[in-house]
Amino acid sequence: SQQGEEDPQALSIQEGENATMNCSYKTSINNLQWYRQNSGRGLVHLILIRSNEREKHSGRLRVTLDTSKKSSSLLITASRAADTASYFCASGSNYQLIWGAGTKLIIKP
Amino acid sequence: DAGVIQSPRHEVTEMGQEVTLRCKPISGHDYLFWYRQTMMRGLELLIYFNNNVPIDDSGMPEDRFSAKMPNASFSTLKIQPSEPRDSAVYFCASSTWGRGYSGANVLTFGAGSRLTVL
């Protein structure tokens, strides 16, 4: 079920900077979701963008979707130490989700 | 709601032993998923249920793995006999199709069961 790709695999930035993660997928979708996983915990849903949307915001999160390129990006603005986690994209069609390999984000104080 | 509840959180066992992982989904959710996560293979879907019925078990690695959902509030994943390569974190997740997200399946994950097979 893991057919998506994410880059970078790891990202280390200073607190206060913006973090951008990218996701590519292979099949047609009706939505794309982003999840966060803190160390030793389960995944937590962050945001969903539908295939007919190009951009969506939620607090400090901004997600874009380009269906022609089969890609999405997640931007976290004004990063905080608490944003340190792994971030996964999941492309959805019907009831199936196809997961990316994740980006490990480290925020340095 | 307490969320998706998994037990045990940690399990250490010896090769050849039977392992049973348990999951209580969120009340009212009609989909239940079992995932396995490893560094090498990432997040793998093992099986999922809809209304307690197994729909797709193509991700179950082999006959040593079995999963059941006897009712809407309980599911088990059993490995018998266990092998060292089964060492992983096993996640249970539940969802309800479309509620709050029309036409999308948004998953709520449990905290996971970390399995170590020696």
Side-chain angles (χ1 to χ4, degrees):
Chain A
S1 60
Q2 184 178 300
Q3 298 180 21
E5 294 181 5
E6 293 183 58
D7 76 87
Q9 289 187 327
L11 179 62
S12 180
I13 61 174
Q14 292 294 139
E15 192 169 20
E17 294 181 340
N18 296 341
T20 300
M21 289 158 272
N22 303 297
C23 166
S24 62
Y25 58 91
K26 297 180 180 177
T27 60
S28 60
I29 61 171
N30 59 32
N31 70 88
L32 189 132
Q33 304 175 35
W34 286 89
Y35 289 75
R36 183 188 71 229
Q37 183 179 31
N38 289 91
S39 180
R41 309 291 291 272
L43 283 75
V44 175
H45 180 256
L46 292 176
I47 192 167
L48 177 151
I49 186 167
R50 300 189 187 284
S51 58
N52 61 354
E53 298 175 310
R54 291 298 167 256
E55 186 170 313
K56 196 160 185 180
H57 296 253
S58 177
R60 295 184 295 112
L61 304 180
R62 183 189 134 209
V63 171
T64 60
L65 179 64
D66 186 335
T67 53
S68 67
K69 295 180 180 178
K70 290 187 167 59
S71 66
S72 173
S73 66
L74 171 68
L75 168 68
I76 303 174
T77 60
S79 62
R80 304 168 182 170
D83 295 329
T84 294
S86 292
Y87 292 81
F88 293 86
C89 68
S91 51
S93 60
N94 299 319
Y95 41 79
Q96 295 271 22
L97 288 178
I98 298 176
W99 296 87
T103 293
K104 187 169 186 176
L105 175 65
I106 296 173
I107 309 299
K108 297 179 287 187
Chain B
D1 198 319
V4 176
I5 299 172
Q6 291 188 245
S7 66
R9 288 295 315 277
H10 301 274
E11 174 94 3
V12 180
T13 190
E14 293 190 346
M15 182 173 61
Q17 296 298 305
E18 177 179 294
V19 173
T20 300
L21 308 178
R22 298 172 179 80
C23 175
K24 177 179 168 55
I26 290 175
S27 177
H29 280 190
D30 50 2
Y31 283 86
L32 184 139
F33 302 79
W34 281 102
Y35 282 91
R36 177 171 69 177
Q37 186 179 40
T38 61
M39 289 294 291
M40 289 296 294
R41 299 174 67 89
L43 200 60
E44 301 175 276
L45 176 64
L46 301 177
I47 185 172
Y48 78 92
F49 296 82
N50 177 219
N51 292 321
N52 314 338
V53 176
I55 303 299
D56 185 353
D57 65 354
S58 60
M60 296 285 260
E62 47 200 274
D63 292 345
R64 297 184 297 106
F65 286 69
S66 63
K68 294 181 180 179
M69 192 165 186
N71 56 62
S73 59
F74 184 65
S75 177
T76 60
L77 177 68
K78 187 174 291 187
I79 308 172
Q80 166 64 15
S82 58
E83 296 182 3
R85 60 190 167 130
D86 301 330
S87 296
V89 181
Y90 290 82
F91 287 103
C92 173
S94 70
S95 70
T96 183
W97 175 254
R99 183 178 296 177
Y101 293 96
S102 177
N105 214 0
V106 174
L107 272 57
T108 301
F109 281 77
S113 294
R114 180 176 293 276
L115 172 65
T116 302
V117 183
L118 303 175

